[in-house]
């Protein structure tokens, strides 16, 4: 069945309803970033489960956080004449050429989770995911409140996500925007931890060696924060007390550390994009108009809120 669909893939998208009419089955090629974090694992599961539930035939690839691998995967989906391509771009820049190739092949593209900086927005149908600048701002706002009325300098270290990725760029700038209003907040070190636990630990060890007084750690995801907690404990300090910790994502492991007081605040970022993605894919194939931007709804958690939310947490 899939073979038959691929073999007559000349007519894609465009005219309403033309894409999926052969046997009714839509084939989606999905180029995932990798398996770098708990968030990513939950995201992959959500996409795979939602595809099955929606009756969509999913071709899935893991780029191991490398843009070149993602571009290769997208080109192979184009060659296979899938009905639709979806991907979460590992970095923001450098997508125009391959997106144009998809457009020329009349294969629609949906961006999920992360954005691209292409000026030509006709290169993709929609972008579904979080507002990462807002997430950074929420992290900054918690900090401002936490140190309200205190005059002493607050030394902050920052563990950035993957260099050049939308969440790293935006979580950094949203946070910086909020804290710059008060000069007592000083980011004394900021480096990438690639969104992984191992790198988060390694970079935090270096931060601790180089800086005798660290008051706050802002990590762009839970995994890096969890790695850093190991480094902080190994250095004989108490995470959440000696060094306050803010992270983003709110995956189960992060929420567990928050409930235990080792993390102080988490900004939620939902990985459960699968059902919405499949829904949008069907609409695109059916020629329906869809919004250019679909935002995910998110909240924030304190330790008390984490305790209450943990029993029902899906990821
Ligand atoms: O926060 C991080 C993951 O792009 C929102 O990627 C995603 C980020 C998420 O590795 O844990």
């Amino acid at each position: 069945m899939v073979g038959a669909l691929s073999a007559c893939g000349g007519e894609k998208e465009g005219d309403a309803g033309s894409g999926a009419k052969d046997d009714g089955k839509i084939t989606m090629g999905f180029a995932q970033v990798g398996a770098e974090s708990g968030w990513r694992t939950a995201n992959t599961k959500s996409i795979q489960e939602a595809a099955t539930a929606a009756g969509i035939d999913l071709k899935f690839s893991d780029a191991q956080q490398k843009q070149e691998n993602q571009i290769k995967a997208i080109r192979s989906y184009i060659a296979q004449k899938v009905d639709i391509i979806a991907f979460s771009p590992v970095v923001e820049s450098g997508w125009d050429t391959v997106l144009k190739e998809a457009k020329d092949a009349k294969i629609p593209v949906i961006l999920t989770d992360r954005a691209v900086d292409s000026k030509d927005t006709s290169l993709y149908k929609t972008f579904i995911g979080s507002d990462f600048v807002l997430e950074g701002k929420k992290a900054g706002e918690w900090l401002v409140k936490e140190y309200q009325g205190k005059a002493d300098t607050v030394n902050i270290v920052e563990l950035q996500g993957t260099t050049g990725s939308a969440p790293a760029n935006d979580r950094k700038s949203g946070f910086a925007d909020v804290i710059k209003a008060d000069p007592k907040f000083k980011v004394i070190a900021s480096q990438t931890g690639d969104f992984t636990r191992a790198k988060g630990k390694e970079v935090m060890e270096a931060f601790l060696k180089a800086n005798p007084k660290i008051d706050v750690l802002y990590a762009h995801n839970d995994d890096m924060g969890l790695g850093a907690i190991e480094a902080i404990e190994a250095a004989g300090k108490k995470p959440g007390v000696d060094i306050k910790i803010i992270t983003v994502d709110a995956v189960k492991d992060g929420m567990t550390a928050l409930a235990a007081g080792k993390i102080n605040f988490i900004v939620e970022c939902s990985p459960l994009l699968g059902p919405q993605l499949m829904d949008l894919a069907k609409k695109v194939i059916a020629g329906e108009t869809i919004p250019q931007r679909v935002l995910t709804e998110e909240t924030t958690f304190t330790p008390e809120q984490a305790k209450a939310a943990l029993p029902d947490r899906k990821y």
Side-chain angles (χ1 to χ4, degrees), residues 33 36-40 65 88 113-114 130 132 135 162 167 171 194-195 220-223 248-249 269:
V33 167
E36 73 281 4
S37 65
W39 190 101
R40 190 63 54 197
Q65 295 224 74
S88 172
D113 156 36
R114 298 184 183 178
S130 312
F132 300 134
E135 290 172 352
T162 306
R171 286 173 185 166
D194 264 342
F195 279 132
H220 290 184
N221 79 344
D222 289 345
D223 282 85
V248 186
D249 277 355
C269 178

Side-chain angles (χ1 to χ4, degrees), residues 31-37 40-41 43-44 60-66 70 88 90 114:
Q32 182 60 290
V33 167
E36 73 281 4
S37 65
R40 190 63 54 197
T41 307
N43 180 245
T44 292
F60 184 89
S61 57
D62 172 333
Q64 298 181 310
Q65 295 224 74
K66 291 203 179 79
Q70 259 189 329
S88 172
V90 57
R114 298 184 183 178

